[in-house]
Amino acid sequence: MATEKVRGKHPVEDLLYDRLVDAIIDKHLRPGQHLNEVKLAERFDVPRSRVRRVLERLRDEDVVVFELNRGAFVSRPTTKEAHNVFETRRHLEDLVVRLACERATPEDIALLRENLRDEREAFAAMRSDVNRVAANFHFAIARISGNGVLEKMVAQLIRRCVLVQSVYEKKSGILCLSEEHGSLIDCIEKNDPEGAAHLMAHHFDHIISSLDLTEARRAEIDSFEFI
Ligand SMILES: [Zn+2]
């Protein structure tokens, strides 16, 4: 595999972090998969110590776990964690979307609609980044909420939800439906917080109903081929 140059104007650790998170959202990296520090250092042409710092950051966000003498692995959430993550995210996004209704500017609405167009194209073309584009809607409204604390918490929960979906989704498919995102944008634009919160609750019902939150489903992950 070609070495990927990640030096430049951006801090190298942030770039490596973003690449790993994107790979998890795109499902190129799966729950339970080993993250080899030496190979990552070679592939991204960065010192191993920096790879370690990025993996520790992901560990602190519960996206990666370290196992004694075995190294780092992509986290494989339990059913209990899965419930907790979705319960928390659902309540926080209720608040996010209410604040977004109050605070969205016309530029914010334009960006949401642009992302929606990209999302529809990604669906239609079955692009490999479709999950990431769909997640961008949720990252965007968290930013529009104008509350940096909330934005950071929601962003972390979105990453953990992706892991939950990787383990527990009933069949591979798209869980964030673009028409629901479109209706949410309409509510945000109209400054209709009650309507938006109602739609967001429905959106989460929809997402959770697409999961099989059982230990049996989690055990199937053991049979995955890891590199
Ligand atoms: Zn969604």
Side-chain angles (χ1 to χ4, degrees):
M1 190 176 294
T3 300
E4 296 191 42
K5 284 281 181 192
V6 290
R7 289 195 177 85
K9 61 182 178 175
H10 300 293
V12 69
E13 285 170 31
D14 286 350
L15 273 170
L16 178 55
Y17 174 89
D18 288 344
R19 294 282 175 88
L20 290 175
V21 167
D22 286 349
I24 288 169
I25 295 177
D26 290 344
K27 298 183 180 170
H28 294 142
L29 277 175
R30 304 299 299 249
Q33 194 163 329
H34 184 220
L35 295 163
N36 185 306
E37 274 180 34
V38 174
K39 285 184 181 170
L40 284 169
E42 284 171 3
R43 180 174 167 191
F44 289 96
D45 191 26
V46 295
R48 195 173 162 182
S49 59
R50 289 189 155 198
V51 172
R52 167 56 74 121
R53 279 203 290 272
V54 171
L55 293 177
E56 286 172 347
R57 182 174 160 195
L58 289 164
R59 176 201 59 197
D60 292 345
E61 295 182 355
D62 296 307
V63 170
V64 160
V65 291
F66 282 91
E67 293 187 12
L68 194 63
N69 301 324
R70 295 187 65 216
F73 294 80
V74 179
S75 173
R76 195 164 60 98
T78 62
T79 55
K80 180 73 178 162
E81 280 177 87
H83 277 292
N84 289 347
V85 164
F86 267 99
E87 186 172 71
T88 311
R89 186 176 160 196
R90 182 185 189 120
H91 285 286
L92 288 185
E93 288 220 39
D94 177 280
L95 177 56
V96 160
V97 82
R98 288 172 189 273
L99 290 173
C101 286
E102 274 179 38
R103 296 173 182 168
T105 63
E107 292 76 27
D108 290 329
I109 299 296
L111 277 173
L112 288 174
R113 295 216 180 277
E114 191 180 314
N115 191 70
L116 185 64
R117 277 193 294 278
D118 192 25
E119 197 179 317
R120 286 183 175 138
E121 282 173 21
F123 274 108
M126 299 178 74
R127 276 173 17 208
S128 63
D129 65 344
V130 65
N131 283 326
R132 189 156 21 119
V133 177
N136 280 345
F137 169 79
H138 292 272
F139 286 123
I141 57 168
R143 179 189 56 74
I144 292 166
S145 79
N147 181 324
V149 175
L150 194 52
E151 181 182 359
K152 195 170 175 181
M153 291 170 80
V154 168
Q156 185 182 342
L157 287 167
I158 291 171
R159 292 190 276 276
R160 293 183 72 185
C161 281
V162 170
L163 292 176
V164 169
Q165 289 169 329
S166 279
V167 176
Y168 295 104
E169 65 192 356
K170 285 175 183 164
K171 55 189 173 192
S172 63
I174 306 309
L175 301 170
C176 272
L177 295 179
S178 49
E179 64 263 36
E180 293 182 3
H181 288 174
S183 304
L184 281 160
I185 296 170
D186 292 340
C187 279
I188 294 168
E189 188 171 29
K190 285 187 290 189
N191 189 5
D192 174 9
E194 289 304 323
H198 179 77
L199 284 176
M200 187 62 91
H202 178 71
H203 189 49
F204 272 93
D205 285 343
H206 200 159
I207 294 170
I208 292 165
S209 71
S210 70
L211 302 175
D212 173 14
L213 287 172
T214 62
E215 285 300 333
R217 182 74 188 96
R218 184 170 184 258
E220 289 173 23
I221 287 287
D222 286 331
S223 65
F224 281 11
E225 281 278 309
F226 300 144
I227 53 170

